[in-house]
Amino acid sequence: MKKFLLFFMTCCLAFFCTGCVKYSYNYEIDKKDKVTLNETEAFNTALFQSIDPLFNEKWQNTYNSTASEYKEKGYEVKEYNKDGYIGITVAKKDIDLMDLSKNITKEFVKDLQQPVSIEKGFLKSTYKIHLYYNLQDVRNNIAAMNNVLNSEQGFPAPVMELTIKIPYKAVRHNASKVLDNNTYYWNLVSEQPVDIVLEYEKYDFSALAMIISLVGVLLLLLWGFNKSKEDIGF
């Protein structure tokens, strides 16, 4: 969704400052391995209006175009307008966990890396989530849109955050904060690429229950066979 903001950023790179842009990514995984995605990108309205008097008109045109694209892909879309920030929020439900990489922001997926893996055992499966966020990629994308930006010009990072909610308490993580037993938060603003590691375990006793049921049936059949032998005098 980064391309949504690039048009507006290019007109004010020289004024780019911490807090003028907010990125918020939220992913919730349920017990059925389905993901609900919610992503918001917003920017400081007053800053952009002071730079470009035609900002409101350009914003509406860009929002309408972007919203249509996402709706065609099955996303729910609404305009974000809060605390002096305006932007877009997209949401999508019932995403298969193993298809998460096809739906999340591409900066979260490192080349040739599978962001989600499941190690299945007899009673327990281990879920491993390994995302990768390189803020420099975002900076490069913005800079590439402005030919007048020289290589020595720099600008601080925007406010960026990620939360992941999982169905069970993590057995391993490197989150910046633990919001509750199942919700983990990362601050994505860093001079170095951010590795996001989160692991949890899910127990499935259905196989054990099936084995117990089969043993029970065999014992019942054996008991019935022995009982019938006794009844006929063998």
Side-chain angles (χ1 to χ4, degrees):
M1 198 163 58
K2 296 290 183 300
K3 64 180 182 179
F4 170 71
L5 295 179
L6 292 182
F7 174 80
F8 299 101
M9 290 180 182
T10 55
C11 69
C12 66
L13 281 174
F15 303 95
F16 198 92
C17 59
T18 299
C20 75
V21 178
K22 292 182 178 180
Y23 296 154
S24 178
Y25 309 99
N26 302 279
Y27 309 123
E28 182 174 344
I29 306 169
D30 66 19
K31 295 181 179 180
K32 297 181 179 179
D33 298 343
K34 295 293 185 180
V35 183
T36 297
L37 172 153
N38 190 295
E39 296 184 351
T40 296
E41 293 188 1
F43 44 89
N44 188 300
T45 310
L47 173 63
F48 283 85
Q49 288 176 336
S50 67
I51 295 169
D52 188 352
L54 299 178
F55 166 79
N56 288 338
E57 180 182 349
K58 293 177 180 178
W59 151 249
Q60 285 300 324
N61 290 336
T62 302
Y63 173 80
N64 292 336
S65 175
T66 304
S68 296
E69 290 181 17
Y70 275 96
K71 287 178 180 178
E72 289 177 0
K73 297 176 181 178
Y75 289 83
E76 297 177 10
V77 183
K78 62 181 180 180
E79 188 172 8
Y80 180 91
N81 194 335
K82 185 178 180 181
D83 299 329
Y85 284 79
I86 193 169
I88 186 171
T89 296
V90 300
K92 195 173 186 180
K93 299 178 180 179
D94 293 327
I95 301 170
D96 289 335
L97 179 57
M98 298 307 296
D99 290 335
L100 183 61
S101 62
K102 300 176 183 178
N103 293 272
I104 61 177
T105 301
K106 65 181 179 65
E107 281 81 9
F108 278 125
V109 182
K110 194 174 183 179
D111 292 343
L112 304 179
Q113 175 183 294
Q114 172 55 259
V116 179
S117 63
I118 304 175
E119 296 178 358
K120 292 186 177 294
F122 176 60
L123 297 178
K124 179 182 71 176
S125 295
T126 300
Y127 289 70
K128 297 183 177 182
I129 300 171
H130 187 191
L131 304 178
Y132 174 89
Y133 200 91
N134 189 350
L135 184 58
Q136 191 60 45
D137 291 344
V138 180
R139 288 174 170 164
N140 291 341
N141 288 339
I142 297 170
M145 297 291 290
N146 191 337
N147 294 328
V148 300
L149 183 66
N150 65 56
S151 61
E152 295 182 356
Q153 282 183 292
F155 42 84
V159 176
M160 309 180 73
E161 57 187 11
L162 164 71
T163 59
I164 302 178
K165 185 173 183 179
I166 53 179
Y168 307 98
K169 185 176 180 179
V171 296
R172 179 176 175 236
H173 71 85
N174 65 348
S176 306
K177 295 179 184 178
V178 179
L179 302 183
D180 58 44
N181 282 341
N182 296 35
T183 308
Y184 301 82
Y185 168 92
W186 286 263
N187 177 11
L188 300 176
V189 179
S190 173
E191 291 301 319
Q192 301 297 323
V194 179
D195 264 324
I196 297 125
V197 176
L198 184 60
E199 298 181 11
Y200 64 94
E201 298 173 341
K202 183 169 72 172
Y203 288 85
D204 184 358
F205 295 100
S206 58
L208 181 60
M210 183 178 298
I211 291 174
I212 293 174
S213 298
L214 289 173
V215 171
V217 170
L218 290 174
L219 290 175
L220 184 61
L221 290 173
L222 182 60
W223 177 84
F225 178 73
N226 290 333
K227 182 68 174 175
S228 65
K229 287 173 60 177
E230 292 175 1
D231 291 342
I232 61 177
F234 284 103

